[in-house]
Amino acid sequence: MSVKPRKAIDQMPEYHPPLAGRTALRLDFNENTFAPSPKVLERVRSLTAESFTIYPEREPVERKLAAHLGLQPNQVLLTNAVDEAIHLVTFTFLNEGDEAVVAVPSFFMYDVNVLAMGAKLNRIQADETLAFPYERFLAAITEKTKLVILCSPNNPTGTTITREQIRTIANAAPQAAVLVDEAYFHFFGETILDELASLPNVIVARTFSKAYGLANLRIGALLASAEMITHLRKAASPYNVNGVALAALEASLEDDIYIEWYAEQIKHGMRKMAAGLDELGIPHYPSHANFILMRIGPRHKQLVADARAHGVLLRDRSSDPGLQGCVRITIGPNDHVERGLAALKLAIHAMNWTPEEAGLSKGTSGDEHEYE
Protein backbone atom coordinates (compact mmCIF):
# COMPACT_ATOMS: atom_id res chain seq x y z
CA MET A 1 0.00 0.00 0.00
CA SER A 2 1.07 3.63 -0.57
CA VAL A 3 -0.05 6.89 0.98
CA LYS A 4 -2.66 8.64 -1.16
CA PRO A 5 -3.42 12.37 -1.22
CA ARG A 6 -6.90 13.81 -1.05
CA LYS A 7 -8.93 13.14 -4.18
CA ALA A 8 -8.91 16.82 -5.15
CA ILE A 9 -5.11 16.97 -4.94
CA ASP A 10 -4.72 13.74 -6.88
CA GLN A 11 -6.89 15.04 -9.72
CA MET A 12 -5.78 18.68 -9.85
CA PRO A 13 -3.41 19.92 -12.59
CA GLU A 14 0.19 20.82 -11.74
CA TYR A 15 1.84 24.10 -12.69
CA HIS A 16 5.28 23.74 -14.27
CA PRO A 17 6.87 27.16 -14.91
CA PRO A 18 9.62 26.83 -17.53
CA LEU A 19 12.30 28.49 -15.43
CA ALA A 20 15.40 26.45 -16.29
CA GLY A 21 18.32 28.22 -17.94
CA ARG A 22 16.94 31.75 -17.91
CA THR A 23 20.31 33.41 -18.62
CA ALA A 24 19.19 35.47 -21.64
CA LEU A 25 17.14 38.71 -21.60
CA ARG A 26 14.07 37.84 -19.51
CA LEU A 27 11.11 38.85 -21.66
CA ASP A 28 9.14 35.74 -20.72
CA PHE A 29 7.72 36.11 -17.18
CA ASN A 30 6.46 39.71 -16.93
CA GLU A 31 9.02 40.56 -14.27
CA ASN A 32 10.65 43.92 -13.82
CA THR A 33 13.53 43.40 -16.27
CA PHE A 34 15.68 46.19 -14.84
CA ALA A 35 15.98 46.59 -11.06
CA PRO A 36 14.07 47.56 -7.92
CA SER A 37 14.40 51.01 -6.40
CA PRO A 38 17.99 51.83 -5.35
CA LYS A 39 16.57 52.32 -1.86
CA VAL A 40 15.85 48.59 -1.73
CA LEU A 41 19.50 47.70 -2.21
CA GLU A 42 20.51 50.26 0.40
CA ARG A 43 18.05 48.80 2.92
CA VAL A 44 19.05 45.19 2.28
CA ARG A 45 22.75 46.03 2.63
CA SER A 46 22.01 47.71 5.96
CA LEU A 47 20.48 44.58 7.50
CA THR A 48 22.44 43.35 10.51
CA ALA A 49 23.48 39.78 11.22
CA GLU A 50 21.08 39.73 14.16
CA SER A 51 18.13 40.65 11.92
CA PHE A 52 18.42 37.25 10.22
CA THR A 53 17.89 35.46 13.56
CA ILE A 54 14.58 37.17 14.40
CA TYR A 55 11.10 36.04 13.37
CA PRO A 56 9.67 38.57 10.87
CA GLU A 57 7.02 41.08 11.95
CA ARG A 58 4.49 41.71 9.25
CA GLU A 59 2.26 44.23 10.99
CA PRO A 60 4.55 47.33 10.97
CA VAL A 61 4.93 47.10 7.19
CA GLU A 62 1.21 46.41 6.79
CA ARG A 63 0.56 49.71 8.59
CA LYS A 64 2.90 51.53 6.21
CA LEU A 65 1.31 49.93 3.15
CA ALA A 66 -2.16 50.80 4.46
CA ALA A 67 -1.16 54.46 4.85
CA HIS A 68 0.42 54.39 1.39
CA LEU A 69 -2.85 53.14 -0.13
CA GLY A 70 -5.23 55.22 1.98
CA LEU A 71 -6.56 52.20 3.89
CA GLN A 72 -6.75 51.18 7.53
CA PRO A 73 -4.15 48.68 8.84
CA ASN A 74 -6.90 46.10 9.47
CA GLN A 75 -7.67 46.16 5.74
CA VAL A 76 -4.23 44.86 4.72
CA LEU A 77 -2.69 41.39 4.82
CA LEU A 78 0.77 40.88 3.38
CA THR A 79 1.30 37.55 1.65
CA ASN A 80 4.02 35.41 0.12
CA ALA A 81 3.32 36.99 -3.29
CA VAL A 82 -0.02 36.70 -5.08
CA ASP A 83 0.40 32.93 -5.33
CA GLU A 84 -0.18 32.64 -1.59
CA ALA A 85 -2.85 35.34 -1.76
CA ILE A 86 -4.89 33.20 -4.17
CA HIS A 87 -4.37 30.16 -1.97
CA LEU A 88 -5.56 32.03 1.14
CA VAL A 89 -8.71 33.24 -0.61
CA THR A 90 -9.66 29.78 -1.87
CA PHE A 91 -8.73 28.13 1.45
CA THR A 92 -10.78 30.66 3.41
CA PHE A 93 -13.93 30.90 1.33
CA LEU A 94 -14.38 27.64 -0.60
CA ASN A 95 -15.84 24.41 0.73
CA GLU A 96 -15.80 21.16 -1.19
CA GLY A 97 -18.58 21.24 -3.78
CA ASP A 98 -18.78 25.06 -3.92
CA GLU A 99 -18.51 26.80 -7.27
CA ALA A 100 -16.06 29.42 -8.52
CA VAL A 101 -16.17 31.41 -11.76
CA VAL A 102 -13.21 32.63 -13.82
CA ALA A 103 -12.82 33.94 -17.37
CA VAL A 104 -10.22 32.13 -19.47
CA PRO A 105 -7.54 32.28 -20.65
CA SER A 106 -6.10 33.59 -17.40
CA PHE A 107 -3.55 32.85 -14.66
CA PHE A 108 -3.35 29.07 -14.21
CA MET A 109 -2.83 29.26 -10.45
CA TYR A 110 -6.53 30.14 -10.08
CA ASP A 111 -7.37 26.69 -11.45
CA VAL A 112 -4.82 24.96 -9.23
CA ASN A 113 -6.07 26.53 -6.00
CA VAL A 114 -9.81 26.24 -6.67
CA LEU A 115 -9.54 22.59 -7.67
CA ALA A 116 -7.32 21.81 -4.66
CA MET A 117 -10.28 22.80 -2.46
CA GLY A 118 -12.50 20.24 -4.18
CA ALA A 119 -14.63 23.04 -5.64
CA LYS A 120 -16.12 23.22 -9.12
CA LEU A 121 -14.51 25.76 -11.46
CA ASN A 122 -16.70 27.32 -14.12
CA ARG A 123 -14.40 28.61 -16.87
CA ILE A 124 -15.97 31.22 -19.15
CA GLN A 125 -14.07 31.25 -22.44
CA ALA A 126 -13.29 34.60 -24.07
CA ASP A 127 -14.07 34.93 -27.77
CA GLU A 128 -11.48 35.48 -30.51
CA THR A 129 -11.01 39.14 -29.49
CA LEU A 130 -9.92 37.94 -26.01
CA ALA A 131 -12.02 40.71 -24.43
CA PHE A 132 -13.53 39.95 -21.01
CA PRO A 133 -16.76 37.96 -21.69
CA TYR A 134 -18.84 40.16 -19.41
CA GLU A 135 -22.40 39.11 -20.30
CA ARG A 136 -21.66 35.37 -20.28
CA PHE A 137 -19.60 35.72 -17.10
CA LEU A 138 -22.43 37.53 -15.31
CA ALA A 139 -24.93 34.89 -16.46
CA ALA A 140 -22.71 32.12 -15.02
CA ILE A 141 -23.05 33.43 -11.45
CA THR A 142 -25.61 31.45 -9.43
CA GLU A 143 -26.51 31.03 -5.78
CA LYS A 144 -23.94 28.22 -5.66
CA THR A 145 -21.14 30.60 -6.63
CA LYS A 146 -18.92 31.22 -3.61
CA LEU A 147 -15.87 32.72 -5.35
CA VAL A 148 -15.58 35.05 -8.34
CA ILE A 149 -12.13 35.66 -9.82
CA LEU A 150 -11.45 38.79 -11.90
CA CYS A 151 -8.00 39.59 -13.27
CA SER A 152 -7.57 43.12 -14.59
CA PRO A 153 -5.34 43.61 -16.50
CA ASN A 154 -5.53 39.94 -17.31
CA ASN A 155 -2.57 37.63 -17.68
CA PRO A 156 -1.73 36.50 -20.37
CA THR A 157 -3.97 38.67 -22.58
CA GLY A 158 -3.55 42.20 -21.15
CA THR A 159 -7.29 42.87 -21.39
CA THR A 160 -9.17 44.74 -18.67
CA ILE A 161 -12.50 44.80 -16.85
CA THR A 162 -14.22 48.12 -16.22
CA ARG A 163 -15.00 49.38 -12.74
CA GLU A 164 -18.71 49.33 -13.60
CA GLN A 165 -18.48 45.69 -14.65
CA ILE A 166 -16.65 44.75 -11.44
CA ARG A 167 -19.23 46.62 -9.39
CA THR A 168 -22.14 44.89 -11.15
CA ILE A 169 -20.57 41.45 -10.79
CA ALA A 170 -19.83 41.97 -7.07
CA ASN A 171 -23.38 43.13 -6.42
CA ALA A 172 -24.75 40.16 -8.37
CA ALA A 173 -22.91 37.73 -6.07
CA PRO A 174 -23.28 39.04 -2.49
CA GLN A 175 -22.82 35.49 -1.16
CA ALA A 176 -19.43 35.13 -2.88
CA ALA A 177 -15.96 36.47 -2.28
CA VAL A 178 -14.88 38.49 -5.32
CA LEU A 179 -11.12 38.40 -5.87
CA VAL A 180 -9.89 41.24 -8.10
CA ASP A 181 -6.30 40.53 -9.10
CA GLU A 182 -4.60 43.86 -9.84
CA ALA A 183 -1.07 42.51 -10.27
CA TYR A 184 -0.48 44.85 -13.22
CA PHE A 185 -2.14 47.92 -11.70
CA HIS A 186 0.89 50.18 -12.01
CA PHE A 187 0.89 49.86 -15.80
CA PHE A 188 -2.89 50.35 -16.09
CA GLY A 189 -3.63 52.91 -13.39
CA GLU A 190 -7.26 51.92 -12.73
CA THR A 191 -8.34 50.21 -9.50
CA ILE A 192 -11.44 49.22 -7.59
CA LEU A 193 -9.62 49.82 -4.29
CA ASP A 194 -11.43 53.07 -3.55
CA GLU A 195 -14.80 51.28 -3.61
CA LEU A 196 -14.11 48.67 -0.93
CA ALA A 197 -16.46 50.42 1.51
CA SER A 198 -19.43 49.92 -0.83
CA LEU A 199 -18.32 46.48 -2.05
CA PRO A 200 -17.85 44.44 1.16
CA ASN A 201 -17.30 41.13 -0.68
CA VAL A 202 -14.44 42.41 -2.86
CA ILE A 203 -10.83 41.46 -2.14
CA VAL A 204 -8.06 43.17 -4.12
CA ALA A 205 -4.76 41.37 -4.69
CA ARG A 206 -1.57 43.30 -5.42
CA THR A 207 1.94 42.08 -6.13
CA PHE A 208 5.34 43.68 -5.70
CA SER A 209 6.93 41.35 -8.26
CA LYS A 210 6.15 43.46 -11.32
CA ALA A 211 6.69 47.23 -11.17
CA TYR A 212 8.48 47.02 -7.80
CA GLY A 213 10.96 44.41 -9.02
CA LEU A 214 10.77 42.16 -5.92
CA ALA A 215 9.82 38.89 -7.64
CA ASN A 216 12.66 36.96 -6.03
CA LEU A 217 11.55 38.00 -2.53
CA ARG A 218 7.92 36.84 -2.97
CA ILE A 219 5.72 39.52 -1.45
CA GLY A 220 2.18 40.60 -2.24
CA ALA A 221 -0.92 41.81 -0.43
CA LEU A 222 -4.63 41.24 0.02
CA LEU A 223 -6.71 44.38 0.54
CA ALA A 224 -10.34 44.25 1.66
CA SER A 225 -12.79 45.17 4.39
CA ALA A 226 -11.64 44.58 7.96
CA GLU A 227 -14.09 41.68 8.27
CA MET A 228 -12.76 39.91 5.17
CA ILE A 229 -9.14 40.44 6.23
CA THR A 230 -9.94 39.00 9.66
CA HIS A 231 -11.08 35.77 8.00
CA LEU A 232 -8.04 35.67 5.73
CA ARG A 233 -5.59 36.43 8.53
CA LYS A 234 -6.80 33.34 10.41
CA ALA A 235 -5.78 31.20 7.44
CA ALA A 236 -2.34 32.79 7.00
CA SER A 237 0.84 31.72 8.72
CA PRO A 238 2.02 34.44 11.15
CA TYR A 239 5.45 34.35 9.48
CA ASN A 240 4.47 33.94 5.84
CA VAL A 241 6.57 36.90 4.61
CA ASN A 242 10.30 36.87 5.34
CA GLY A 243 12.10 39.79 6.94
CA VAL A 244 14.23 40.65 3.91
CA ALA A 245 11.09 40.98 1.79
CA LEU A 246 9.46 43.16 4.44
CA ALA A 247 12.50 45.45 4.58
CA ALA A 248 12.60 45.67 0.78
CA LEU A 249 8.91 46.53 0.53
CA GLU A 250 9.24 49.20 3.21
CA ALA A 251 12.07 50.81 1.25
CA SER A 252 10.11 50.56 -2.01
CA LEU A 253 7.16 52.38 -0.49
CA GLU A 254 9.49 55.32 0.21
CA ASP A 255 10.34 55.73 -3.48
CA ASP A 256 7.21 56.54 -5.48
CA ILE A 257 9.34 58.51 -7.94
CA TYR A 258 11.13 55.33 -8.99
CA ILE A 259 7.91 53.34 -9.46
CA GLU A 260 6.38 56.14 -11.50
CA TRP A 261 9.53 56.31 -13.64
CA TYR A 262 9.55 52.57 -14.27
CA ALA A 263 5.83 52.52 -15.15
CA GLU A 264 6.38 55.33 -17.67
CA GLN A 265 9.29 53.41 -19.18
CA ILE A 266 6.98 50.45 -19.71
CA LYS A 267 4.19 52.54 -21.25
CA HIS A 268 6.71 54.03 -23.69
CA GLY A 269 8.05 50.55 -24.39
CA MET A 270 4.56 49.22 -25.08
CA ARG A 271 4.03 51.83 -27.78
CA LYS A 272 7.44 51.13 -29.31
CA MET A 273 6.96 47.36 -29.30
CA ALA A 274 3.48 47.67 -30.81
CA ALA A 275 4.85 49.81 -33.63
CA GLY A 276 7.65 47.30 -34.21
CA LEU A 277 5.24 44.37 -34.31
CA ASP A 278 3.06 46.24 -36.78
CA GLU A 279 6.10 46.83 -38.96
CA LEU A 280 6.85 43.09 -38.91
CA GLY A 281 3.22 42.27 -39.66
CA ILE A 282 2.78 40.30 -36.44
CA PRO A 283 -0.84 40.38 -35.18
CA HIS A 284 -1.08 41.34 -31.53
CA TYR A 285 -3.67 42.26 -28.95
CA PRO A 286 -4.14 45.56 -27.08
CA SER A 287 -2.66 45.28 -23.60
CA HIS A 288 -2.72 47.41 -20.44
CA ALA A 289 -0.04 45.40 -18.64
CA ASN A 290 3.73 45.09 -19.15
CA PHE A 291 3.53 42.55 -21.95
CA ILE A 292 2.05 42.04 -25.40
CA LEU A 293 0.47 38.85 -26.70
CA MET A 294 1.30 38.02 -30.33
CA ARG A 295 -0.33 35.45 -32.60
CA ILE A 296 2.30 33.61 -34.61
CA GLY A 297 0.51 30.47 -35.77
CA PRO A 298 1.77 26.88 -36.05
CA ARG A 299 5.45 27.82 -35.77
CA HIS A 300 5.16 29.42 -32.34
CA LYS A 301 7.66 26.99 -30.78
CA GLN A 302 10.21 27.74 -33.47
CA LEU A 303 9.93 31.48 -32.86
CA VAL A 304 10.53 31.00 -29.11
CA ALA A 305 13.54 28.76 -29.78
CA ASP A 306 15.03 31.08 -32.41
CA ALA A 307 14.56 34.17 -30.21
CA ARG A 308 16.33 32.33 -27.38
CA ALA A 309 19.21 31.61 -29.75
CA HIS A 310 19.42 35.38 -30.29
CA GLY A 311 19.56 36.03 -26.53
CA VAL A 312 15.91 36.81 -25.74
CA LEU A 313 13.41 34.68 -23.80
CA LEU A 314 9.75 34.68 -24.89
CA ARG A 315 6.80 32.79 -23.38
CA ASP A 316 4.85 30.33 -25.49
CA ARG A 317 1.18 30.61 -24.48
CA SER A 318 -0.17 28.27 -27.15
CA SER A 319 -1.40 25.71 -24.60
CA ASP A 320 -3.78 28.23 -22.99
CA PRO A 321 -7.46 27.93 -23.99
CA GLY A 322 -8.08 30.05 -27.08
CA LEU A 323 -4.42 31.02 -27.51
CA GLN A 324 -3.24 28.45 -30.03
CA GLY A 325 -0.22 29.84 -31.84
CA CYS A 326 0.26 32.72 -29.37
CA VAL A 327 3.53 33.97 -27.88
CA ARG A 328 3.91 36.63 -25.17
CA ILE A 329 6.71 39.18 -24.85
CA THR A 330 7.44 41.19 -21.70
CA ILE A 331 8.13 44.91 -22.03
CA GLY A 332 11.06 46.48 -20.19
CA PRO A 333 12.96 49.76 -20.45
CA ASN A 334 13.94 51.09 -23.88
CA ASP A 335 17.14 49.07 -24.28
CA HIS A 336 15.31 45.83 -23.52
CA VAL A 337 12.55 46.69 -25.97
CA GLU A 338 15.11 47.33 -28.69
CA ARG A 339 16.89 44.05 -27.97
CA GLY A 340 13.58 42.20 -27.97
CA LEU A 341 12.55 43.68 -31.29
CA ALA A 342 15.96 42.94 -32.80
CA ALA A 343 15.70 39.28 -31.78
CA LEU A 344 12.16 39.07 -33.15
CA LYS A 345 13.24 40.54 -36.48
CA LEU A 346 16.14 38.10 -36.82
CA ALA A 347 13.96 35.13 -35.89
CA ILE A 348 11.05 36.11 -38.14
CA HIS A 349 13.29 36.71 -41.14
CA ALA A 350 15.26 33.48 -40.60
CA MET A 351 11.98 31.54 -40.45
CA ASN A 352 10.66 33.24 -43.60
CA TRP A 353 7.53 33.77 -41.55
CA THR A 354 4.56 35.57 -43.14
CA PRO A 355 1.52 37.18 -41.47
CA GLU A 356 -0.74 34.70 -43.25
CA GLU A 357 0.65 31.96 -40.99
CA ALA A 358 -1.02 33.57 -37.98
CA GLY A 359 -4.40 32.87 -39.50
CA LEU A 360 -5.38 36.45 -38.75
CA SER A 361 -4.97 39.76 -40.50
CA LYS A 362 -2.62 42.45 -39.22
CA GLY A 363 -4.18 44.42 -36.35
CA THR A 364 -6.55 41.63 -35.35
CA SER A 365 -7.79 43.46 -32.29
CA GLY A 366 -8.35 46.75 -34.03
CA ASP A 367 -6.19 49.29 -35.79
CA GLU A 368 -5.71 51.43 -32.69
CA HIS A 369 -3.62 49.95 -29.90
CA GLU A 370 -4.17 51.49 -26.47
CA TYR A 371 -0.74 51.59 -24.88
CA GLU A 372 -1.06 54.58 -22.58
Side-chain angles (χ1 to χ4, degrees):
M1 294 180 64
S2 61
V3 177
K4 299 292 184 183
R6 290 190 298 110
K7 183 179 179 181
I9 298 296
D10 191 43
Q11 295 180 347
M12 66 184 272
E14 187 174 353
Y15 182 55
H16 294 283
L19 290 172
R22 296 181 68 225
T23 56
L25 179 59
R26 300 173 290 106
L27 303 188
D28 54 343
F29 269 75
N30 306 341
E31 301 150 311
N32 178 317
T33 63
F34 182 60
S37 161
K39 292 188 177 183
V40 170
L41 300 180
E42 292 176 13
R43 185 66 58 85
V44 171
R45 290 189 182 109
S46 72
L47 294 176
T48 65
E50 184 185 15
S51 70
F52 288 87
T53 71
I54 302 170
Y55 281 109
E57 291 188 54
R58 196 174 53 200
E59 289 77 6
V61 185
E62 286 176 341
R63 289 195 295 270
K64 292 188 177 182
L65 179 59
H68 188 80
L69 296 174
L71 300 174
Q72 296 301 313
N74 60 6
Q75 292 183 274
V76 175
L77 173 63
L78 288 174
T79 63
N80 193 267
V82 169
D83 285 348
E84 190 204 16
I86 297 166
H87 169 72
L88 290 175
V89 170
T90 56
F91 185 73
T92 301
F93 296 106
L94 283 180
N95 287 303
E96 187 173 355
D98 284 345
E99 295 185 3
V101 185
V102 65
V104 295
S106 197
F107 187 36
F108 187 60
M109 290 306 294
Y110 303 142
D111 297 49
V112 169
N113 283 280
V114 169
L115 296 177
M117 295 289 88
K120 176 184 177 182
L121 183 61
N122 294 327
R123 302 177 180 89
I124 311 304
Q125 178 69 49
D127 64 20
E128 61 184 8
T129 69
L130 302 185
F132 177 66
Y134 172 65
E135 297 294 342
R136 288 183 289 115
F137 192 97
L138 192 61
I141 296 172
T142 71
E143 61 182 14
K144 296 181 180 179
T145 303
K146 294 300 187 291
L147 175 62
V148 174
I149 301 171
L150 304 171
C151 187
S152 183
N154 183 44
N155 176 23
T157 64
T159 55
T160 59
I161 309 170
T162 68
R163 284 162 59 99
E164 182 179 356
Q165 289 172 339
I166 294 172
R167 195 181 306 117
T168 301
I169 289 168
N171 288 329
Q175 79 288 354
V178 178
L179 175 63
V180 183
D181 189 341
E182 294 185 351
Y184 299 94
F185 159 75
H186 293 90
F187 312 115
F188 178 40
E190 189 168 301
T191 179
I192 199 69
L193 202 60
D194 59 334
E195 297 196 40
L196 289 181
S198 59
L199 298 172
N201 57 337
V202 165
I203 306 165
V204 173
R206 290 278 182 91
T207 184
F208 302 98
S209 296
K210 309 302 181 184
Y212 283 82
L214 303 180
N216 199 17
L217 294 179
R218 316 307 299 135
I219 186 163
L222 288 170
L223 315 164
S225 69
E227 181 180 3
M228 295 289 266
I229 292 297
T230 295
H231 300 320
L232 291 160
R233 197 178 295 277
K234 288 181 181 179
S237 163
Y239 309 120
N240 60 334
V241 181
N242 71 77
V244 179
L246 292 170
L249 175 56
E250 188 174 35
S252 293
L253 295 177
E254 297 168 0
D255 199 356
D256 283 342
I257 292 176
Y258 178 83
I259 298 303
E260 291 168 4
W261 170 83
Y262 187 77
E264 284 302 315
Q265 288 286 305
I266 301 313
K267 292 173 185 177
H268 172 76
M270 293 287 281
R271 294 189 290 269
K272 187 168 186 174
M273 179 61 70
L277 295 177
D278 286 340
E279 184 179 337
L280 290 170
I282 300 177
H284 55 102
Y285 297 87
S287 172
H288 292 275
N290 67 334
F291 57 81
I292 296 178
L293 186 70
M294 309 172 280
R295 192 173 287 274
I296 301 300
R299 292 200 284 166
H300 53 94
K301 289 185 179 180
Q302 183 181 350
L303 176 68
V304 173
D306 288 358
R308 188 183 190 116
H310 293 297
V312 171
L313 302 179
L314 305 177
R315 185 74 184 273
D316 191 339
R317 302 303 322 200
S318 197
S319 61
D320 291 56
L323 298 187
Q324 294 80 3
C326 286
V327 173
R328 190 187 66 199
I329 184 167
T330 301
I331 308 302
N334 186 63
D335 176 59
H336 294 176
V337 173
E338 290 182 351
R339 289 168 59 187
L341 274 173
L344 277 174
K345 289 176 182 178
L346 289 170
I348 287 292
H349 291 151
M351 290 167 56
N352 291 317
W353 181 90
T354 63
E356 288 71 27
E357 293 186 50
L360 298 168
S361 61
K362 181 179 176 181
T364 288
S365 301
D367 295 328
E368 295 184 3
H369 302 287
E370 300 178 14
Y371 304 111
E372 300 178 341

